[in-house]
C-alpha cells in the first residue's frame, strides 16, 4: 500500500516536483514560498539552489528546460515581478523539459509589502495557471503541471497562497518517475527571441491559449459537483474549502486550471444553477471573464472583498444572511512586530536616530526601523529600492539634501538587487552613504544562505562573495567595515561619510542574534543604585528592558542576549555585562 504522510502545502509541492522527475530547482526565498526549496533540496535526485534573485532563478530553470530536463523555480508573488522579464518571453519560447514556476501569493499580507494576484500577472504574460486546494492536490497538480507544460509547450505557474503553503494535509506518496532525457537540438526559431522569430511565436502563444481553453472543458482538474441547484459557486484554491465548509450542499464548479478558463464548462454550470457566486480571493480574475461572456447573474466582488483572506463565515453572512462575528476584531492584545533582543540592526538605528538621519529603507528585518521608538526608516518599496531611491533624491534635490540621509539595505537584499543600484550611483556620479547591514543571513525569511554567506542550499561550503571587495571593485574608494555593536565607531564613520561628497559604503557586521551557532557569552544586568533614571537605555526599544514604577529599569534575563547596546548607552555605568550563568 502506498505510504501516506501529513505534509505542509509547500512540502507537497516539493514532493510533486520530485515525483515528476524534476532535475533542477532554482529559487530565491520569500514567505510563503520558502519551504518549497527547503524541501526539494532533501531529494538527492534534484539539483536545488538559492539564486541571488527571482529573475536569475527563472532563467536557470529555463536554461535547464532548454537543455531537456524538467525544472522549476519558486518565489513569492512579488518575486514574480522580478522574474517577469524572462517569464513573459519564456511564454513565447515555450519549453523542452517541463517548466513550472511556483508562485505563492499572500492574501492578507502576513509578510508582504503588497497583495498582488499572480493570476493577473499570468494572464498578462499569457502563461497558464493551475491552483490546488490542499496538500494532496498540491502534489498532484505539480505533476499535472509538468505534463501540461510539455504537452502544450509552455511554462506553467502553480499558484499557491499562504493558507495552502502553510497548512498541512494528508498526501499519498508515489514513486519518482524519471522522464526520458531529451537530446539537445538547436532550435533558433524557438529559443532566439528576436523579432523575426518572436512574431511567429506570438501567434503560437495565442493559439496555444485557445487550444488549452478548449481542452480545459474536459480537463480532470476542473471539476463540477452538482448538488442543490438553487445555489452554485465557481471557485478555486483554498476558497473552495470555505465553500464546502459553509454550504456543503451547494453546487460547485471547482477550477484547477484558472488560466485559461473553460468557457463551455462555466456556461453550462451557470445555466444549471439559479444563483451563481464567484468566490475568489483578491482580484476578480474569474469574475471579470465570466461577466464578459454575458453571464450577468454572476455575483462576486459586489459582496465579497478584494482584500485579505476569505473564510467560511463570509459565505454564511453574505449568501445565507446569517449573523456573524467575522468583522469583529479578534479579542487579543495587539503585538506589533519588533526587532529581536540582540539584533544588530537596532544598534545601527540607534546611531542614525541620534544623528537625526533619515533612512531610505529596503525589505528585511530592518524595515522595522520604521516603527517607534526607532522611526528612522522613511521609505520601503521593494527589494533593492533603498539605494536607487536615495540616488533619485540626490538627483532631485542635490548633494546637500542628502547629507542627513542614508540608504539602509540587508546583505541578502544587497545581493538580490542592491548591487545594480550601487553600480548606478557610481556610474552617475552620486553622492550618498549606503549602509549594508550584514548579519550573515537572510533573516526575515528564516535564515537562508546567499552568495555572501559561503553556504549553498545543499549545505556545501563555498567561497563567500566578499561584499567589501565587491564594492571596492566598483571603484568606490570609501568602503568601511564596522562592528554593528560599536556605537562610538558607528557614530564616527556615519558622521564622516554623510558629510563626504562621494559614494560611501558602510558595511555593519554582526550575525543575526538567532542564527544557529551564534553565542552571546554575556547577559546585561542593571546596577540599580547607580541608575539615574534618565531612560537612555530604553530609547532603542529593546524588548528585554522595562521601566519600573520608580523609574529604574529591569532586564529580563530570559530575553537578553547580552549584546551590550543598553550598557553602551548608559553614561552612569548602571548596566553591567555578566558572564552567562553568573
Ligand atoms: C522580490 C522579493 N523577493 C523576496 C522577498 C522576501 N523577502 C523579504 S526581505 C528578504 C531578505 C531579507 O534579508 P536581508 O536583506 O539580509 O535582511 P535581514 O532580514 O537579514 O535583516 C526577503 C527574501 C520580497 N519581499 N521580495
Amino acid at each position: 500500500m502506498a505510504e501516506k504522510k501529513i505534509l505542509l502545502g509547500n512540502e507537497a509541492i516539493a514532493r510533486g516536483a520530485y515525483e515528476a522527475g524534476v532535475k533542477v530547482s532554482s529559487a530565491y526565498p520569500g514567505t510563503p514560498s520558502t519551504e518549497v526549496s527547503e524541501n526539494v533540496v532533501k531529494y538527492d535526485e534534484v539539483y536545488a539552489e538559492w539564486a541571488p534573485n527571482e529573475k536569475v532563478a527563472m532563467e536557470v530553470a529555463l536554461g535547464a528546460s532548454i537543455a531537456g530536463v524538467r525544472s522549476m523555480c519558486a518565489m513569492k508573488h512579488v518575486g514574480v515581478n522580478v522574474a517577469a522579464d524572462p517569464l513573459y518571453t519564456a511564454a513565447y519560447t515555450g519549453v523542452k523539459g517541463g517548466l513550472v514556476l511556483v508562485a505563492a501569493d499572500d492574501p492578507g499580507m502576513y509578510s508582504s509589502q503588497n497583495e498582488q494576484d499572480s493570476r493577473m500577472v499570468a494572464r498578462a504574460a499569457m502563461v497558464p495557471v493551475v491552483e490546488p486546494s490542499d496538500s494532496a492536490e498540491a502534489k498532484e497538480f505539480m505533476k499535472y503541471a509538468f505534463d501540461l507544460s510539455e504537452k502544450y509547450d509552455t511554462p506553467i505557474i502553480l499558484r499557491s497562497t499562504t493558507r495552502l503553503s502553510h497548512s498541512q494535509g494528508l498526501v499519498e506518496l508515489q514513486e519518482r518517475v524519471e522522464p526520458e532525457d531529451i537530446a539537445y537540438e538547436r532550435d533558433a526559431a524557438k529559443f532566439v527571441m528576436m523579432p523575426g522569430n518572436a512574431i511567429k511565436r506570438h501567434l503560437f502563444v495565442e493559439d496555444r491559449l485557445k487550444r488549452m481553453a478548449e481542452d480545459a472543458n474536459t480537463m480532470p482538474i476542473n471539476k463540477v459537483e452538482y448538488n442543490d441547484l438553487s445555489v452554485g459557486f465557481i471557485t478555486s484554491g483554498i476558497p473552495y474549502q470555505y465553500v464546502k465548509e459553509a454550504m456543503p450542499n451547494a453546487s460547485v464548479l471547482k477550477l484547477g486550471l484558472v488560466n485559461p478558463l473553460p468557457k463551455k464548462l462555466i456556461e453550462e454550470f451557470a445555466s444549471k444553477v439559479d444563483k451563481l457566486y464567484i468566490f475568489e480571493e483578491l482580484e476578480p480574475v474569474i469574475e471579470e471573464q465570466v461577466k464578459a461572456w454575458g453571464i450577468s447573474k454572476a455575483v462576486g466582488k459586489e459582496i465579497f472583498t478584494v482584500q485579505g483572506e476569505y473564510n467560511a463565515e463570509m459565505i454564511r453572512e453574505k449568501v445565507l444572511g446569517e449573523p456573524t462575528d467575522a468583522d469583529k476584531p479578534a479579542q487579543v492584545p495587539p503585538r506589533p512586530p519588533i526587532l529581536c533582543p540582540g539584533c544588530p540592526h537596532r544598534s545601527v538605528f540607534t546611531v542614525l536616530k541620534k544623528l537625526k538621519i533619515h533612512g531610505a529603507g529596503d525589505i528585511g528585518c530592518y524595515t522595522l526601523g520604521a516603527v517607534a521608538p526607532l522611526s528612522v526608516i522613511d521609505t520601503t518599496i521593494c527589494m533593492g529600492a533603498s539605494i536607487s531611491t536615495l540616488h533619485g533624491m540626490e538627483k532631485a534635490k542635490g548633494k546637500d539634501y542628502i547629507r542627513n540621509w542614508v540608504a539602509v539595505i540587508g546583505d541578502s537584499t544587497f545581493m538580490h538587487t542592491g548591487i545594480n543600484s550601487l553600480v548606478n550611483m557610481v556610474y552617475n556620479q552620486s553622492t550618498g552613504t549606503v549602509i549594508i547591514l550584514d548579519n550573515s543571513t537572510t533573516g526575515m525569511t528564516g535564515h537562508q544562505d546567499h552568495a555572501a554567506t559561503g553556504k549553498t542550499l545543499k549545505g556545501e561550503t563555498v567561497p563567500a562573495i566578499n561584499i567589501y571587495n565587491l564594492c571596492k571593485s566598483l571603484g568606490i574608494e570609501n568602503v568601511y567595515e564596522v562592528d554593528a555593536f560599536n556605537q562610538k565607531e558607528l557614530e564616527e564613520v556615519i558622521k564622516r561619510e554623510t558629510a563626504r561628497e562621494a559614494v560611501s559604503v558602510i558595511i555593519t557586521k554582526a550575525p543575526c542574534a538567532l542564527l544557529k551557532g551564534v553565542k552571546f557569552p554575556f547577559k546585561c544586568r542593571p546596577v540599580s543604585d547607580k541608575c539615574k533614571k534618565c531612560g537612555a537605555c530604553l530609547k532603542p526599544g529593546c524588548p528585554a528592558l522595562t521601566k519600573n514604577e520608580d523609574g529604574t529599569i529591569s532586564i529580563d534575563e530570559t530575553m537578553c542576549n547580552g549584546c551590550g547596546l543598553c550598557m553602551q548607552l548608559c553614561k552612569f555605568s548602571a548596566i553591567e555585562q555578566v558572564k552567562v550563568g553568573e
Side-chain angles (χ1 to χ4, degrees):
M1 223 174 71
E3 189 188 352
K4 287 188 181 166
K5 258 187 158 176
I6 293 178
L7 297 184
L8 203 64
N10 281 345
E11 270 182 292
I13 291 171
R15 178 72 197 187
Y18 164 75
E19 290 180 8
V22 164
K23 280 249 169 68
V24 173
S25 165
S26 189
Y28 183 72
T31 315
S33 71
T34 312
E35 303 83 6
V36 172
S37 304
E38 288 174 339
N39 282 286
V40 139
V41 73
K42 293 177 185 163
Y43 300 106
D44 289 342
E45 294 86 342
V46 186
Y47 166 79
E49 66 173 24
W50 289 130
N53 65 39
E54 295 84 352
K55 176 182 187 291
V56 175
M58 173 72 209
E59 290 159 350
V60 169
L62 183 57
S65 160
I66 294 170
V69 307
R70 287 190 163 184
S71 65
M72 65 181 284
C73 52
M75 55 202 69
K76 67 184 289 170
H77 60 314
V78 281
V80 181
N81 304 338
V82 180
D85 205 2
L87 175 65
Y88 275 62
T89 302
Y92 277 39
T93 64
V95 302
K96 277 275 165 140
L99 195 171
V100 175
L101 184 161
V102 178
D105 288 5
D106 189 16
M109 291 180 277
Y110 290 99
S111 51
S112 306
Q113 69 266 37
N114 76 25
E115 211 173 7
Q116 74 191 39
D117 189 324
S118 291
R119 297 174 304 163
M120 302 274 271
V121 182
R123 284 201 76 204
M126 293 184 285
V127 174
V129 184
V130 297
E131 188 173 21
S133 296
D134 57 28
S135 293
E137 278 193 358
K139 191 197 76 155
E140 286 312 312
F141 280 25
M142 195 66 183
K143 290 162 75 172
Y144 193 69
F146 279 102
D147 293 341
L148 287 180
S149 173
E150 285 164 5
K151 179 170 179 197
Y152 293 94
D153 186 10
T154 178
I156 304 276
I157 292 179
L158 182 134
R159 181 199 187 217
S160 178
T161 54
T162 306
R163 191 64 49 180
L164 174 69
S165 282
H166 287 172
S167 49
Q168 297 182 318
L170 198 62
V171 179
E172 191 177 298
L173 308 187
Q174 271 122 15
E175 294 297 315
R176 173 178 170 92
V177 178
E178 283 297 342
E180 269 185 39
D181 204 62
I182 305 170
Y184 180 73
E185 266 177 59
R186 182 168 192 269
D187 191 350
K190 180 166 154 62
F191 289 116
V192 180
M193 282 303 95
M194 54 192 184
N197 293 336
I199 286 167
K200 294 179 199 123
R201 291 300 296 182
H202 189 183
L203 296 175
F204 168 80
V205 171
E206 298 291 343
D207 178 61
R208 176 180 69 205
L209 275 180
K210 277 200 198 115
R211 279 186 290 122
M212 281 191 88
E214 184 56 36
D215 295 354
N217 291 304
T218 51
M219 274 185 198
I221 59 171
N222 291 330
K223 282 192 196 139
V224 184
E225 298 169 11
Y226 284 121
N227 278 310
D228 174 3
L229 294 177
S230 66
V231 182
F233 285 87
I234 299 177
T235 187
S236 68
I238 283 289
Y240 166 77
Q241 309 289 2
Y242 305 138
V243 172
K244 297 303 284 183
E245 187 184 332
M247 295 185 69
N249 291 325
S251 293
V252 181
L253 169 50
K254 175 185 180 307
L255 296 172
L257 186 77
V258 292
N259 185 50
L261 292 178
K263 188 168 177 225
K264 276 188 219 146
L265 195 64
I266 289 174
E267 281 172 342
E268 194 189 326
F269 181 78
S271 72
K272 292 208 170 136
V273 294
D274 298 337
K275 285 192 180 151
L276 178 63
Y277 296 97
I278 315 271
F279 196 60
E280 56 184 329
E281 282 172 339
L282 299 179
E283 300 302 319
V285 177
I286 300 171
E287 181 185 340
E288 280 181 356
Q289 293 174 80
V290 168
K291 286 185 174 166
W293 296 332
I295 303 175
S296 53
K297 69 178 172 190
V299 173
K301 297 300 173 188
E302 296 90 343
I303 56 171
F304 302 121
T305 173
V306 289
Q307 278 187 301
E309 285 194 298
Y310 282 11
N311 51 47
E313 287 290 284
M314 284 170 76
I315 298 177
R316 291 193 187 106
E317 186 195 353
K318 307 280 182 188
V319 177
L320 298 173
E322 291 173 3
T324 166
D325 285 343
D327 292 340
K328 288 193 193 141
Q331 299 301 305
V332 289
R335 283 204 311 161
I338 41 165
L339 293 170
C340 306
C343 174
H345 302 338
R346 179 180 287 106
S347 172
V348 179
F349 290 144
T350 299
V351 175
L352 293 176
K353 171 126 183 142
K354 181 176 175 195
L355 298 177
K356 297 194 171 53
I357 287 180
H358 302 258
D362 224 297
I363 311 244
C365 292
Y366 48 91
T367 307
L368 291 170
V371 298
L374 296 162
S375 312
V376 290
I377 295 291
D378 285 15
T379 65
T380 297
I381 314 294
C382 64
M383 288 190 74
S386 57
I387 302 177
S388 0
T389 45
L390 182 77
H391 172 74
M393 289 172 186
E394 192 256 26
K395 294 303 169 199
K397 293 268 179 88
K399 296 186 190 309
D400 284 337
Y401 179 79
I402 226 72
R403 299 269 178 244
N404 62 342
W405 277 84
V406 293
V408 181
I409 186 165
D411 48 340
S412 187
T413 305
F414 179 68
M415 300 309 291
H416 179 273
T417 32
I419 295 173
N420 320 42
S421 308
L422 190 60
V423 168
N424 189 44
M425 281 186 91
V426 174
Y427 172 43
N428 288 305
Q429 299 291 288
S430 218
T431 280
T433 303
V434 174
I435 300 185
I436 301 174
L437 302 164
D438 184 359
N439 60 358
S440 308
T441 193
T442 315
M444 179 94 166
T445 44
H447 291 164
Q448 290 75 32
D449 281 293
H450 57 72
T453 65
K455 273 256 155 52
T456 66
L457 176 57
K458 285 267 185 203
E460 295 142 346
T461 304
V462 289
I465 289 184
N466 184 310
I467 296 177
Y468 176 90
N469 290 346
L470 187 98
C471 297
K472 276 288 195 188
S473 75
L474 300 180
I476 303 171
E477 275 179 28
N478 309 295
V479 185
Y480 305 93
E481 284 185 321
V482 186
D483 173 354
F485 284 113
N486 189 330
Q487 288 280 294
K488 188 165 168 285
E489 205 186 327
L490 274 175
E491 188 172 335
E492 274 167 24
V493 71
I494 293 171
K495 262 190 192 157
R496 187 184 69 225
E497 294 311 310
T498 47
R500 199 190 287 282
E501 202 159 297
V503 179
S504 323
V505 177
I506 304 169
I507 306 161
T508 61
K509 290 181 79 88
C512 168
L514 303 184
L515 207 54
K516 215 173 153 192
V518 171
K519 290 199 171 63
F520 287 94
F522 301 105
K523 296 264 173 210
C524 293
R525 194 178 280 170
V527 188
S528 297
D529 56 336
K530 292 190 183 170
C531 181
K532 297 280 184 285
K533 305 174 187 174
C534 67
C537 58
L538 293 166
K539 281 191 181 159
C542 175
L545 271 70
T546 43
K547 192 172 174 178
N548 302 324
E549 266 177 23
D550 66 356
T552 60
I553 60 132
S554 295
I555 300 180
D556 182 339
E557 278 207 19
T558 57
M559 275 207 245
C560 174
N561 277 321
C563 73
L565 174 63
C566 56
M567 191 183 74
Q568 288 185 65
L569 296 174
C570 179
K571 293 201 182 82
F572 309 103
S573 306
I575 297 175
E576 60 181 6
Q577 259 177 337
V578 291
K579 272 229 164 97
V580 172
E582 269 180 19

